[in-house]
Amino acid sequence: MKNILIRHLNLSFLKLSLACSLLLALPTQAQENTAPENNDTSKNRQATMIVLDGSNSMWAQVDGINKIVTARESLKDVLEAADDSIEFGLLVYGNRRKRQGCTDITLVSKPEDYDQKTMIKQVYKIKPFGRSPIASALEAAAARLKDRPHSRILLVSDGEESCERDPCATAAQLIEENPSLQIDVMGFQESKEAQLECIAENGRGAFVFAEDKKRLQTLLASAKAPAVQTTLSRPNAPPSSRMMDENIPGSVELSLKANDIASGALLANYFVYDMNGLIVANFTARRHVKEYLKPGTYRVKVVWKNYSAAKTLTIHSGENVPHTFDVGPIGQLKLSATNKQGKPIPASYAIYAQNDEFISRYVMLDEVKEQLPTGQFRIRATLGNDLEEAEVTIRPKQESQHIFSFEQK
């Protein structure tokens, strides 16, 4: 009986020991299971490289304030308003030397080393000095982001490339190599905007003025959308499950095409209105535009030659809404002029729609070619005090030609 009791006690002790061992192992197992999730979350942190123009032209003033001062204050607003899930890096060009200015690119800090207060101090220490190697600076910033999904570049600049490269083409190439990359541009009023707008357009990003605080704040808020989408959104989620965080804007992308040509988007003017009819943003002569908007319903409009169309779109938090307008079939108009001997001469031309709406004007050219919607148009040629007018019909996929004859010349 005593032996049986001892064996029973030993068995009970063995079971208790085993249970304790299992209980002690549980926290360790939980830690092992949760560790990879933390690592995955860190990989999803959105990275933005700020590329700051440190060229000498940033000392120029707009409304009595140096552009570099406006840039510092705007970037301070960017960093202080940004979501905690975003890591910023800083790269500066043109602030150190002039002789080798086209290689004057400095990585001030990496996204993984981001500290808000430190970066604000770094931004305020930048002293503009040299040239503008914008294309090379964009490439250097993109190289730092190649392993970061949904990363962005924010270019802060006041002008054009000064190192014989094409940053507009560079932006397109970088997006082709990394489709999840986005290049936004912050420019300045009274600056050379065409190239900067082209960089934003080819970079599938937005162009804003540093002085436009309202649009700048919307741009900044949009930076956290990719990071949130990475962790919260589900592919093909129904509308009822979409995020509706008023603090996270969505975006709209607009373009215009003709249904019978393969030459891509047409240059057009775009307008975005709220539902009260107030204009939110407008763009001139762009093939593609992107605008960040607070969640809600908007009216978007496109104008090309005498064609215009509008569409009502609903923007959701953290979502991009693409819309392509279709102008339908188009043709081409060719204009030229001759003197009384029948020899070609330069002249000035104007093109009007049938309702006398002005479309375009050209000054003293040998020849004019212009794409137009199909239909009737009035055309006018002037040479000195002489004026010639005519009507022309534009047909789909055809070139309509008209030669003005100035018999007095």
Side-chain angles (χ1 to χ4, degrees):
M1 183 69 180
K2 182 177 179 181
N3 292 334
I4 294 174
L5 180 61
I6 292 172
R7 284 199 300 268
H8 178 72
L9 290 174
N10 288 339
L11 182 60
S12 298
F13 180 76
L14 178 62
K15 289 180 179 179
L16 181 62
S17 299
L18 180 61
C20 291
S21 299
L22 290 172
L23 288 172
L24 290 172
L26 284 176
T28 305
Q29 185 66 38
Q31 291 174 358
E32 291 174 355
N33 288 338
T34 56
E37 293 181 6
N38 292 335
N39 291 336
D40 290 341
T41 302
S42 66
K43 291 180 182 178
N44 287 333
R45 290 173 66 85
Q46 199 267 336
T48 295
M49 282 294 299
I50 297 172
V51 178
L52 177 58
D53 185 345
S55 66
N56 188 59
S57 61
M58 289 290 283
W59 285 119
Q61 295 185 346
V62 176
D63 296 331
I65 302 175
N66 299 105
K67 294 175 186 177
I68 186 61
V69 173
T70 302
R72 290 168 182 159
E73 294 175 353
S74 296
L75 287 176
K76 182 175 182 289
D77 291 340
V78 168
L79 300 174
E80 291 180 341
D83 189 80
D84 291 339
S85 64
I86 304 170
E87 296 176 333
F88 288 91
L90 178 61
L91 185 146
V92 183
Y93 65 82
N95 67 312
R96 292 187 181 276
R97 53 188 182 272
K98 287 187 177 181
R99 287 190 177 181
Q100 297 177 326
C102 291
T103 58
D104 185 5
I105 300 171
T106 305
L107 177 65
V108 179
S109 62
K110 305 173 185 177
E112 54 267 30
D113 298 330
Y114 175 60
D115 176 76
Q116 182 194 105
K117 292 182 179 180
T118 300
M119 182 168 288
I120 291 174
K121 291 179 181 179
Q122 292 168 336
V123 167
Y124 272 77
K125 288 180 180 179
I126 301 302
K127 307 292 184 183
F129 185 72
R131 300 180 67 179
S132 299
I134 299 177
S136 296
L138 291 175
E139 290 173 339
R144 286 286 169 182
L145 299 172
K146 62 181 179 180
D147 296 326
R148 302 292 293 266
H150 303 290
S151 53
R152 299 171 74 160
I153 294 174
L154 175 59
L155 171 64
V156 183
S157 177
D158 77 328
E160 298 179 327
E161 170 83 28
S162 64
C163 291
E164 300 182 358
R165 292 194 62 190
D166 184 357
C168 190
T170 298
Q173 180 64 32
L174 293 175
I175 298 302
E176 182 178 345
E177 295 172 356
N178 182 4
S180 72
L181 178 65
Q182 179 174 310
I183 304 174
D184 298 308
V185 180
M186 185 194 300
F188 298 83
Q189 299 280 8
E190 300 181 9
S191 65
K192 297 179 180 178
E193 302 160 19
Q195 190 175 83
L196 297 177
E197 288 188 355
C198 182
I199 293 171
E201 182 175 348
N202 286 356
R204 308 294 289 183
F207 175 86
V208 298
F209 287 116
E211 301 89 345
D212 192 340
K213 298 295 183 183
K214 187 174 182 179
R215 287 182 69 199
L216 182 59
Q217 288 173 359
T218 306
L219 172 64
L220 306 181
S222 73
K224 62 183 176 181
V228 173
Q229 283 187 307
T230 299
T231 56
L232 297 182
S233 288
R234 291 180 285 116
N236 303 316
S240 60
S241 66
R242 288 171 172 167
M243 293 185 299
M244 289 305 293
D245 186 343
E246 293 294 327
N247 296 318
I248 302 178
S251 60
V252 62
E253 290 189 64
L254 303 174
S255 60
L256 174 68
K257 71 171 186 177
N259 63 17
D260 57 351
I261 62 171
S263 58
L266 301 168
L267 283 171
N269 301 330
Y270 296 91
F271 306 85
V272 181
Y273 302 89
D274 64 20
M275 295 312 291
N276 294 320
L278 299 177
I279 192 163
V280 177
N282 65 285
F283 308 86
T284 303
R286 298 281 292 274
R287 298 188 188 277
H288 170 274
V289 299
K290 183 170 187 176
E291 180 68 10
Y292 294 101
L293 300 166
K294 293 182 178 180
T297 303
Y298 298 84
R299 191 75 172 162
V300 295
K301 181 180 180 181
V302 63
V303 176
W304 180 71
K305 315 298 183 180
N306 61 321
Y307 167 85
S308 65
K311 179 78 173 178
T312 299
L313 300 174
T314 299
I315 306 300
H316 293 272
S317 304
E319 293 187 7
N320 181 58
V321 179
H323 182 74
T324 300
F325 292 95
D326 191 338
V327 69
I330 66 173
Q332 183 166 268
L333 174 63
K334 180 181 178 181
L335 300 176
S336 59
T338 59
N339 59 16
K340 60 183 178 181
Q341 287 84 29
K343 294 182 178 181
I345 55 174
S348 297
Y349 303 94
I351 303 173
Y352 299 85
Q354 194 67 12
N355 62 356
D356 291 333
E357 177 187 358
F358 172 75
I359 294 177
S360 58
R361 177 177 288 112
Y362 300 89
V363 179
M364 296 306 291
L365 296 177
D366 295 327
E367 181 181 275
V368 165
K369 288 185 178 182
E370 181 164 343
Q371 290 180 321
L372 292 168
T374 57
Q376 296 290 123
F377 293 85
R378 289 196 309 107
I379 51 178
R380 176 183 295 176
T382 56
L383 185 60
N385 295 324
D386 295 337
L387 170 65
E388 298 288 337
E389 291 186 303
E391 289 191 358
V392 64
T393 300
I394 303 299
R395 295 180 174 83
K397 302 181 182 180
Q398 295 184 22
E399 182 179 79
S400 301
Q401 183 175 3
H402 187 85
I403 301 175
F404 290 97
S405 179
F406 289 92
E407 298 295 335
Q408 306 301 319
K409 301 297 179 180

